Amino acid sequence: MATPERDSQEAREIPEPAREAKPTPPTGKELEEASRFAYTALCGMSLAWLFPEPEQSSFRIEYVEGLVKWLQLPESVLPSIVAFASGLGGEQEEAFAEILLKDPVLRNDPLVITQDLLAFSLRNGSYDARARVLVCRVTHLLKIPPTELENLEEMLLERLKEIQEEETEAAEALRKKKENWNKWKRYLLIGLATVGGGTAIGVTGGLAAPLVAAGAATIIGTTGAAALGSMAGIAVITSLFGAAGAGLTGYKMKKRVGAIEEFEFLPLTDGKQLHITIAVTGWLCSGKYGMFSTPWASLARSSEQYCLAWESKYLMELGNALETLLNGLVNMMTQEALKYTILSGILTALTWPASLLTVANIIDNPWGVCLHRSAEVGKHLAHVLLSRQQGRRPVTLIGFSLGARVIYFCLQEMAQEEDCKGIIEDIILLGAPVEGEAKYWKPLQKVVSGRIINGYSRSVAIWTT
């Protein structure tokens, strides 16, 4: 006869149903060997097309060599892959892309390649701008919308932020626990660690790895998770976002640098992103345009954007001078136009009267001051970016007028440094008052990994000296 105690014991012995493990997305290693070769060859040819300059050779070779190991391809393929990365067979990019898309793993989800390439590019805690340009190109060749890459980066970032919080909480809990240990127990643990050959160190030092491997695998696959969950742990994440996670918002000029009186980054958005945008305003004036952020209200939204606040006193003087000049122009044009009928001579009237030309003298002084200071600010911006205050992430720069001039001199200064490559992704200059000769622009090619967009008008002359 069953007793209540026995029934209770049997109930406890009934095994719980096994929990279904979340399926992890496939990785590049799971492709067929021919597809893995096509994947690596496609990256090699794309690198040769994107970065053909001799000074980029070491980056191209190191990247494909690492990718061959990452995909566990035999070393015998390395000479062919290196040849592709050196410029051989560049016309075959689309053919290799077609081979890839026929792979059973990729037939329904080509995003696996983008996902795998992103994980590979982030494996060391650094997102080189050249690597992101490559990821964008391969994504395009595989006919994947660019928004998918943005979504993937955002998902990965969210998981990395969760990991950082989990590791911080775990480290704090461990610290408090250690503080409560008695003195004799601490001595005992030290002794055990010595006898056990580092067992105690293994318990604490490896705490972060399971957190990374368990969570990130659902986004970037087990291979990418293993890379991010290596001994680097939290250091990998911190490396991406700059010192103490503060990034650019934490940077302030500690003391006056040369002629520069003001230099600070103001956030335009509240989020974080694996790549950032810095906007540089060209002038300020009274009213709503007295703020550095106002011109960028319609800038395409992304999660992490900043504007550079610089020399506001002098930019305001210039803006007010320009506003005075414009108001004088409008008033005098109106007066002249009233002297004519609309049909007979209004076009003749809408010209610059001689008396107005003297008004232009009012902008000469503030314009000259701002020309000089924008060059100095650009050089200082270069050293801020070279010191990786923004972390190890790609940076896009956009600016108008004197703000574009800041960017131009930033790139000129960076071009003189050996470690200038892989920081800047794209630049957009609008109405930049700078030299137009090719010899001044050529050095910028090695600094900018992606596109240099220079918007200007051939019919407008601008003082640049």
Side-chain angles (χ1 to χ4, degrees), residues 3-248:
T3 63
E5 291 79 3
R6 184 176 179 181
D7 290 341
S8 175
Q9 183 178 359
E10 290 177 353
R12 286 195 300 269
E13 291 175 355
I14 298 175
E16 294 182 3
R19 296 180 181 178
E20 293 185 6
K22 293 183 179 180
T24 58
T27 66
K29 292 186 180 69
E30 297 174 41
L31 302 177
E32 297 174 351
E33 185 170 326
S35 298
R36 281 181 281 148
F37 179 85
Y39 169 14
T40 313
L42 180 63
C43 289
M45 286 183 287
S46 295
L47 284 168
W49 186 84
L50 291 166
F51 311 110
E53 298 83 11
E55 59 266 24
Q56 299 286 3
S57 175
S58 60
F59 172 76
R60 298 195 306 265
I61 303 306
E62 289 174 9
Y63 195 93
V64 295
E65 285 178 346
L67 191 57
V68 166
K69 294 178 182 178
W70 174 269
L71 296 174
Q72 298 177 352
L73 282 166
E75 290 186 7
S76 58
V77 308
L78 198 53
S80 299
I81 299 300
V82 170
F84 288 135
S86 300
L88 180 67
E91 67 281 356
Q92 300 178 22
E93 274 185 313
E94 293 185 1
F96 278 110
E98 291 298 325
I99 293 173
L100 267 178
L101 292 173
K102 291 177 182 177
D103 187 281
V105 175
L106 303 178
R107 197 169 293 149
N108 297 322
D109 188 15
L111 193 60
V112 169
I113 294 295
T114 301
Q115 186 174 292
D116 189 75
L117 198 56
L118 178 60
F120 171 72
S121 299
L122 286 167
R123 71 195 186 284
N124 295 325
S126 176
Y127 197 8
D128 193 289
R130 293 165 292 185
R132 188 171 194 273
V133 171
L134 172 65
V135 175
C136 290
R137 176 161 179 80
V138 172
T139 300
H140 170 73
L141 290 171
L142 295 177
K143 301 178 174 62
I144 300 171
T147 52
E148 292 292 335
L149 172 59
E150 295 280 351
N151 293 338
L152 185 61
E153 288 178 329
E154 186 175 343
M155 290 169 59
L156 176 59
L157 178 57
E158 286 302 315
R159 182 53 197 151
L160 289 175
K161 287 162 66 177
E162 291 174 8
I163 293 166
Q164 189 175 26
E165 292 173 2
E166 290 170 2
E167 291 187 7
T168 302
E169 291 174 2
E172 179 65 16
L174 186 61
R175 185 187 65 79
K176 289 181 179 179
K177 185 176 180 180
K178 285 183 176 180
E179 288 177 353
N180 293 329
W181 283 348
N182 294 324
K183 185 176 182 180
W184 66 268
K185 195 171 183 179
R186 291 201 302 271
Y187 287 146
L188 177 60
L189 286 175
I190 292 170
L192 289 174
T194 304
V195 174
T199 304
I201 296 174
V203 170
T204 56
L207 180 64
L211 294 172
V212 176
T218 60
I219 299 175
I220 60 174
T222 51
T223 303
L228 294 174
S230 65
M231 63 179 182
I234 193 69
V236 171
I237 301 168
T238 304
S239 172
L240 284 169
F241 296 100
L248 292 177

